[in-house]
């Protein structure tokens, strides 16, 4: 973070100093909520958790080099203390472990600290970019970091660190050298994205799509659209540089143009889009090649792009990233080159690897919702059919979480889709009712005998695959993060089939 004295931090967050000998001591290191990751002269966040309370580790953090602790009560070491407040959102981060309001207080203080730092950096030239959508946020965030990197230093969150803790934590990673701050913005209910936007106000915002992820929490797709649109409502007017990047192919996203004061740039396959993709082709690993078309008034500029990531659904993500980069001053050639060199960064997201015996694993197990599940299945069959001869395909699928009353119906639809796409083997993993619905959907669609299998857990899936995988098979592993189904992908890559060895190599 930018250097701040303890006195200044206390002023910003409305706290008081405790056990501090010198209020002029500066915090110049990183802000951390894990005492094991504290850096010299950093700031430690004392947050409550499921297993322990950060307040109990304050002394360890100071011993490791932290300048102070941001806490909700005195901890016997240098600290900025903010008064506890009642948790106001039951679906916010870990408030089930926050009976005394200490977590809410520290998170609110963290947000205030991030806002002060971002305001100072924005005044000095920092551009804040926000991205949201029901699917593809993390992949697009990674592409954004890649296309903006040629223009200057970029800070972006690791993985899907996109909530009320990850958002300000990432923002405080920016320094005076940072030119671009890319922030992935998630929500579990109305008002959440608006709240994140007050922590680090974006100048450019991209909305990718409105799907059915978290439908159980939002209640309807219309409420999801209303919430995702909070990003474009938070953008500054066009006269002040505000730019909204909207997916022209998604009617609910395109309609957000009426909700923003920012200049609107449409991306997609629609011929009327300002930035679009044409001449789309997929290679044997489902990596897209397309022509990037940029419309400037009455003229068009074109560049050939071949993505290093897998799946046709990444084209929309790439168009959004390209639009942001062009708005930030990149040339079309810079964008095309950067997109072509941007491989998978965040773990367990369409990570394609091939064993020495030709078994290919598509690890897309970090998260899942109906839209991303459909995209992954389509990528699987595209890869299987692209070579000289078709390959056997396996779809190892776990539960898609947070779908509410529609969960069984949505899982049933995925099972049926896998059959219609002619996936060779479908393995439904888990003992829950939605997973049983996925299996039943496959059976009812016509997957007989051993084509569709229901197993209780990941270990059973691993046992089945170890017994029946054949050299050259193609395996998709996908589920919501809570299922941790990536353990199946890791086990496959660590094992062997027939006479093949255990070495693996990236299929990139």
């Amino acid at each position: 973070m930018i250097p701040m004295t303890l006195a200044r931090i206390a002023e910003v967050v409305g706290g008081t100093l405790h056990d501090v000998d010198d209020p002029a001591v500066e915090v110049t290191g990183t802000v951390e909520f894990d005492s094991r990751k504290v850096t010299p002269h950093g700031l430690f966040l004392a947050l409550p958790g499921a297993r322990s309370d950060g307040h109990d580790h304050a002394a360890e953090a100071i011993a490791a080099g932290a300048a102070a602790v941001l806490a909700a009560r005195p901890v016997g070491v240098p600290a900025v203390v903010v008064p506890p407040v009642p948790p106001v959102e039951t679906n916010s981060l870990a408030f089930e472990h926050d009976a005394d309001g200490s977590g809410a207080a520290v998170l609110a203080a963290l947000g205030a600290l991030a806002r002060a730092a971002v305001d100072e950096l924005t005044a000095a030239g920092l551009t804040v970019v926000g991205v949201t959508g029901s699917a593809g946020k993390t992949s697009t965030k990674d592409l954004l970091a890649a296309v903006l990197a040629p223009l200057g230093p970029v800070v972006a969150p690791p993985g899907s660190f996109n909530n009320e803790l990850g958002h300000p934590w990432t923002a405080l990673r920016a320094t005076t050298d940072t030119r671009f701050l890319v922030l992935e913005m998630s929500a579990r209910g109305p008002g959440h994205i608006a709240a994140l936007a007050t922590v680090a106000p974006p100048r450019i915002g991209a909305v990718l799509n409105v799907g059915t992820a978290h439908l159980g929490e939002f209640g309807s797709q219309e409420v999801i659209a209303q919430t995702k649109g909070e990003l474009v409502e938070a953008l500054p007017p066009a006269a002040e540089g505000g730019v909204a990047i909207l997916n022209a192919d998604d009617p609910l996203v395109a309609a957000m143009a009426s909700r923003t004061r920012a200049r609107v740039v449409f991306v997609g396959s629609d011929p009327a889009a300002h930035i679009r993709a044409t001449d789309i082709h997929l290679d044997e690993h489902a990596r897209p090649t397309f022509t990037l078309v940029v419309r400037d008034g009455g003229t068009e500029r074109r560049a050939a792009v071949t993505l290093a990531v897998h799946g046709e659904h990444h084209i929309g993500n790439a168009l959004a990233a390209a639009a942001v980069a062009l708005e930030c001053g990149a040339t079309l050639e810079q964008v095309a080159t950067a997109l072509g060199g941007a491989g998978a960064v965040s773990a367990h997201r369409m990570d394609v690897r091939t064993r020495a015996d030709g078994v290919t694993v598509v690890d897309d197990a970090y998260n899942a919702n109906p839209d991303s599940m459909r995209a992954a299945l389509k990528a699987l069959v595209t890869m299987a059919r692209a070579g000289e001869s078709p390959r056997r395909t396996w779809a190892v699928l776990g539960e898609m979480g947070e779908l509410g009353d529609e969960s069984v119906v949505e899982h049933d639809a995925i099972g049926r889709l896998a059959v219609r796409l002619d996936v060779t083997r479908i393995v439904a993993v888990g003992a829950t009712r939605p997973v049983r619905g996925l299996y039943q959907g496959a059976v009812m669609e016509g997957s007989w005998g051993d084509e569709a299998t229901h197993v209780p857990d990941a270990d059973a899936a691993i046992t089945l695959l170890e017994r029946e995988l054949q050299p050259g098979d193609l395996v998709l592993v996908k589920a919501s993060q809570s299922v941790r189904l990536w353990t199946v992908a890791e086990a496959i890559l660590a094992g062997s089939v027939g006479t093949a060895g255990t070495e693996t190599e990236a299929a990139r």
Side-chain angles (χ1 to χ4, degrees):
M1 63 178 284
I2 60 174
M4 281 194 193
T5 66
L6 295 181
R8 172 61 176 155
I9 292 173
E11 178 186 1
V12 166
V13 304
T16 56
L17 299 178
H18 284 257
D19 300 297
V20 172
D21 294 329
D22 184 3
V25 167
E26 283 191 325
V27 172
T28 57
T30 59
V31 176
E32 302 292 352
F33 53 89
D34 185 337
S35 60
R36 297 165 297 182
K37 297 181 180 180
V38 166
T39 59
H41 311 293
L43 183 68
F44 174 63
L45 305 177
L47 287 169
R51 295 184 178 87
S52 64
D53 187 336
H55 290 83
D56 298 333
H57 298 278
E60 298 171 29
I62 295 298
V69 178
L70 183 57
R73 61 178 181 268
V75 286
V77 294
V80 178
V81 177
V82 290
V85 296
V88 294
E89 295 176 321
T90 57
N91 56 354
S92 287
L93 177 74
F95 280 160
E96 61 187 296
H97 311 296
D98 189 27
D100 63 357
S102 61
V106 174
L107 280 177
L110 179 66
L113 185 61
R115 176 60 186 264
V118 169
D119 282 349
E120 184 173 329
L121 292 171
T122 300
L126 175 73
T127 295
V128 180
V129 180
V131 58
T132 194
S134 295
K137 294 185 295 294
T138 300
S139 297
T140 303
K141 173 265 300 180
D142 291 339
L143 290 173
L144 278 166
V147 297
L148 292 173
L151 305 181
V154 181
V155 167
S160 294
F161 213 32
N162 55 23
N163 58 16
E164 60 270 47
L165 172 58
H167 197 75
W169 180 90
T170 301
L172 286 166
R173 253 50 187 172
T175 69
T176 53
D177 294 328
T178 306
R179 185 170 174 189
F180 302 102
L181 175 59
V182 177
L183 295 170
E184 179 182 338
M185 305 172 76
S186 71
R188 293 181 179 275
H192 285 191
I193 289 177
L196 294 180
T198 65
V199 170
R203 182 176 72 82
I204 302 175
V207 184
L208 306 176
N209 44 57
V210 173
T212 53
H214 306 300
L215 188 60
E217 292 165 321
F218 285 93
S220 71
Q221 202 170 21
E222 288 71 25
V223 176
I224 295 173
Q226 185 65 31
T227 302
K228 299 299 182 185
E230 292 170 4
L231 173 56
V232 300
E233 291 177 341
L235 299 173
E240 298 175 14
V243 181
I245 312 295
L246 300 179
N247 180 1
D249 300 331
D250 186 324
L252 291 175
V253 175
M256 294 177 191
S258 64
R259 296 171 55 186
T260 185
R261 303 169 297 163
R263 180 166 54 87
V264 174
V265 175
F266 286 112
V267 301
S269 61
D270 191 308
H274 300 95
I275 298 175
R276 68 185 194 277
T278 63
D279 309 318
I280 297 169
H281 302 282
L282 302 179
D283 70 6
E284 66 274 17
H285 295 297
R287 291 174 296 208
T289 293
F290 61 93
T291 300
L292 177 62
V293 182
V294 179
R295 177 164 56 85
D296 291 323
T299 64
E300 289 186 344
R301 296 179 290 145
R302 298 170 179 262
V305 175
T306 297
L307 297 180
V309 290
H310 307 264
E312 187 172 358
H313 57 290
H314 281 300
I315 294 175
N317 301 338
L319 292 178
V324 172
L326 291 169
E327 290 295 331
C328 291
T331 66
L332 187 57
E333 293 71 23
Q334 283 178 316
V335 170
T337 299
L339 287 174
V345 175
S346 298
H348 312 301
R349 292 172 179 82
M350 291 302 289
D351 185 6
V352 181
R353 299 181 185 274
T354 300
R355 287 192 335 197
D357 62 357
V359 171
T360 298
V361 179
V362 182
D363 179 1
D364 197 31
Y366 186 85
N367 212 343
N369 57 59
D371 296 318
S372 66
M373 191 73 86
R374 286 189 286 267
L377 286 168
K378 291 175 183 177
L380 173 72
V381 298
T382 296
M383 294 170 66
R385 298 167 183 168
E388 295 181 0
S389 58
R391 303 169 65 181
R392 290 205 322 164
T393 52
W394 293 74
V396 183
L397 309 176
E399 185 172 356
M400 302 177 287
E402 301 168 344
L403 294 178
D405 294 339
E406 297 298 312
S407 185
V408 173
V409 173
E410 293 286 3
H411 282 81
D412 174 273
I414 292 300
R416 293 174 183 273
L417 174 63
V419 175
R420 291 197 298 272
L421 291 173
D422 201 22
V423 174
T424 312
R425 297 291 301 275
I426 301 163
V427 183
V429 184
T432 66
R433 185 165 171 258
V435 172
R436 290 195 295 272
L438 190 155
Y439 169 70
Q440 290 295 333
V443 171
M444 295 302 293
E445 193 68 21
S447 185
W448 305 106
D450 293 332
E451 291 178 359
T453 306
H454 181 210
V455 297
D457 52 36
D459 288 341
I462 292 168
T463 299
L464 172 66
L465 289 159
E466 287 177 341
R467 185 174 67 244
E468 299 191 24
L469 268 181
Q470 298 176 10
D473 282 0
L474 182 59
V475 186
L476 167 68
V477 182
K478 187 165 181 64
S480 284
Q481 180 184 11
S482 59
V483 182
R484 297 181 61 83
L485 206 60
W486 56 74
T487 58
V488 175
E490 292 168 347
I492 298 171
L493 290 170
S496 62
V497 171
T499 59
T502 59
E503 295 181 1
T504 64
E505 60 181 355
R508 302 187 188 281

